[in-house]
Amino acid sequence: MKEYKIGKGWAIFIYIFAPLLIALFVWLLIMPFVLEDTPIELFYVFGPISLGMIVLMVVGLLDTINGKVIISSDTLSLRSTFINRDLKFKEIKGFEVEQNHIFVLPNTERKKRIKISKYISNSNELITWLGSKFPDLHQANEAEEKTEILGNLDYGRNTEERSSQLKQAKIVAKVLNGLGGLILVWTIFRPEPYEYAIWASISLPIIAILVVVYYKGLIRIDEKKGSAYPTVFFAILMSCCGLFLRALIDNNIFNYTNIWMPSIMIMIALIALVVFGTKAFKFKKAKDYFSLLSLSLFFFGFGYGSIVILNCTYDDSVPKSYTSKIIDKRISTGKMTTYYLELKAWGPQTKDDDVSVSKELYENLEINNNVNIYLKKGRFNIPWFIVTE
């Protein structure tokens, strides 16, 4: 019999930090009742979060102590705080290795799969053992899909042509995904020349979808581990994210009313092109609907970013000038650094509000300085404004 428990390094980490986090969330839970100056309303915010995190930390601590995977002469077993599962070797269909977990799948619907964390000690040894006893379902699926491709008359007249087409499709997908990464870096960190970076971000997702249509489904949009079909998922994801973030960073929109409808229409048009123009989704599994929902979010970000940036970049309207005073300054840090000025109400802006500005402008101005604000109509009737010294 062989047992696998969580690795020593992770166990020590959890033993140290789980109690500390439990204490922190217990304090947040009782804080509104203990501190006199703390409003009781905070309990309705921190209460549910704290309770959830306390339960999560306690379960994690108990799983670290008691959780284990057991291999006996004819059974694979999982023991944890709330889940105890056993699969006889003859009941195992195969296994799949994902980023953080190993899934052991049964060959009958009466049994449930076993989910094993890759943070257990000697996880590679367990994967090797599984590979010696059961099929790797990712590899099996990839081999099955490759056979399907090489037998599909849509991809060539004979096996040689289809194999050549598959190799070509892999190269094209790899190039597009690489371009997606380069365009993301270009658009986010150094968008110069600005218009070229923006048009590259707008063009790549459309090109990627048209490539999928051209290859008749040989290139797919959704990313799936263990698939023989090349994918352009990352080309679409990265360029859409870059465009969306650039729109948020560079433009201060005064009124968002006219943004939503064109953004949604662009999203619907791209989804329709994907659904009806490609073989990307067969809608036989729940995963297809989830993938389509995820893609819809990316396409909405693409529509939003495109509309906002084009609205502001190509706006030739005459601006209206206003003046405001800086109330406060702050910097938001993370993957990107954003600089904000809090301005007093000005013109049609009836409330004090934060606006994002460039690093140079942020450093040149101090609290109580006055700034000029230029309100413009927008190319697509989406009002926006510029803040200057």
Side-chain angles (χ1 to χ4, degrees), residues 106-120:
N107 54 23
T108 172
E109 293 183 358
R110 292 183 291 103
K111 291 284 187 175
K112 293 184 178 181
R113 70 180 184 179
I114 291 178
K115 179 180 176 182
I116 304 168
S117 170
K118 287 182 72 176
Y119 297 112
I120 60 170

Side-chain angles (χ1 to χ4, degrees), residues 180-200:
L182 291 174
I183 288 172
L184 174 66
V185 172
W186 181 21
T187 305
I188 293 299
F189 297 105
R190 198 172 183 84
E192 298 174 2
Y194 187 82
E195 289 187 41
Y196 289 178
I198 296 307
W199 279 111

Side-chain angles (χ1 to χ4, degrees), residues 237-267:
L237 169 65
M238 292 180 187
S239 48
C240 288
C241 288
L243 191 66
F244 180 72
L245 290 172
R246 196 77 261 169
L248 292 179
I249 294 166
D250 293 344
N251 305 283
N252 289 306
I253 301 300
F254 181 73
N255 189 318
Y256 288 83
T257 303
N258 292 335
I259 294 178
W260 309 125
M261 186 54 67
S263 299
I264 292 170
M265 294 302 294
I266 290 172
M267 177 192 73

Side-chain angles (χ1 to χ4, degrees), residues 14-307:
I14 292 170
Y15 289 148
I16 293 173
F17 286 97
L20 293 175
L21 288 172
I22 290 171
L24 170 64
F25 286 108
V26 167
W27 168 246
L28 290 175
L29 187 66
I30 65 174
M31 180 179 65
F33 304 99
V34 174
L35 298 182
E36 293 183 2
D37 296 333
T38 304
I40 194 66
E41 288 78 8
L42 282 179
F43 174 77
Y44 301 109
V45 177
F46 290 122
I49 296 173
S50 298
L51 285 172
M53 291 303 297
I54 290 168
V55 170
L56 185 65
M57 291 299 107
V58 170
V59 171
L61 197 57
L62 292 174
D63 275 347
T64 302
I65 297 169
N66 302 316
K68 56 188 173 182
V69 177
I70 306 168
I71 299 174
S72 63
S73 58
D74 66 344
T75 306
L76 177 68
S77 304
L78 173 70
R79 298 289 179 263
S80 65
T81 306
F82 295 111
I83 298 174
N84 295 309
R85 286 182 186 165
D86 302 282
L87 282 176
K88 298 285 186 183
F89 291 168
K90 63 182 180 180
E91 297 173 329
I92 295 176
K93 177 182 178 181
F95 70 98
E96 296 175 347
V97 180
E98 302 292 349
Q99 184 175 359
N100 296 315
H101 293 92
I102 305 162
F103 295 95
V104 181
L105 281 71
N107 54 23
T108 172
E109 293 183 358
R110 292 183 291 103
K111 291 284 187 175
K112 293 184 178 181
R113 70 180 184 179
I114 291 178
K115 179 180 176 182
I116 304 168
S117 170
K118 287 182 72 176
Y119 297 112
I120 60 170
S121 60
N122 300 317
S123 60
N124 289 332
E125 177 187 292
L126 176 59
I127 292 170
T128 301
W129 178 85
L130 287 168
S132 69
K133 301 281 289 185
F134 312 105
D136 182 328
L137 296 178
H138 283 323
Q139 292 180 0
N141 182 71
E142 185 173 355
E144 182 181 333
E145 288 186 349
K146 188 171 183 179
T147 301
E148 176 187 292
I149 291 168
L150 296 179
N152 193 328
L153 293 174
D154 289 340
Y155 306 140
R157 292 171 295 180
N158 53 53
T159 303
E160 288 73 22
E161 282 190 9
R162 295 164 203 151
S163 180
S164 176
Q165 186 82 334
L166 178 58
K167 289 179 181 177
Q168 183 188 86
K170 287 182 178 179
I171 293 171
V172 170
K174 190 174 183 178
V175 169
L176 288 174
N177 288 326
L179 284 173
L182 291 174
I183 288 172
L184 174 66
V185 172
W186 181 21
T187 305
I188 293 299
F189 297 105
R190 198 172 183 84
E192 298 174 2
Y194 187 82
E195 289 187 41
Y196 289 178
I198 296 307
W199 279 111
S201 296
I202 292 174
S203 301
L204 188 62
I206 297 172
I207 291 170
I209 294 171
L210 293 177
V211 164
V212 173
V213 174
Y214 174 78
Y215 275 90
K216 301 176 182 178
L218 181 57
I219 295 178
R220 299 289 173 88
I221 287 181
D222 56 324
E223 195 272 334
K224 180 182 176 184
K225 188 174 181 180
S227 176
Y229 290 94
T231 175
V232 291
F233 175 79
F234 293 102
I236 292 173
L237 169 65
M238 292 180 187
S239 48
C240 288
C241 288
L243 191 66
F244 180 72
L245 290 172
R246 196 77 261 169
L248 292 179
I249 294 166
D250 293 344
N251 305 283
N252 289 306
I253 301 300
F254 181 73
N255 189 318
Y256 288 83
T257 303
N258 292 335
I259 294 178
W260 309 125
M261 186 54 67
S263 299
I264 292 170
M265 294 302 294
I266 290 172
M267 177 192 73
I268 291 172
L270 292 177
I271 287 295
L273 182 59
V274 169
V275 172
F276 299 110
T278 74
K279 299 177 181 179
F281 302 100
K282 296 180 180 179
F283 299 106
K284 292 182 179 179
K285 297 180 180 179
K287 187 176 180 181
D288 288 337
Y289 293 95
F290 179 77
S291 297
L292 189 63
L293 176 61
S294 301
L295 201 59
S296 298
L297 294 176
F298 299 145
F299 286 158
F300 178 80
F302 171 83
Y304 177 94
S306 301
I307 291 296

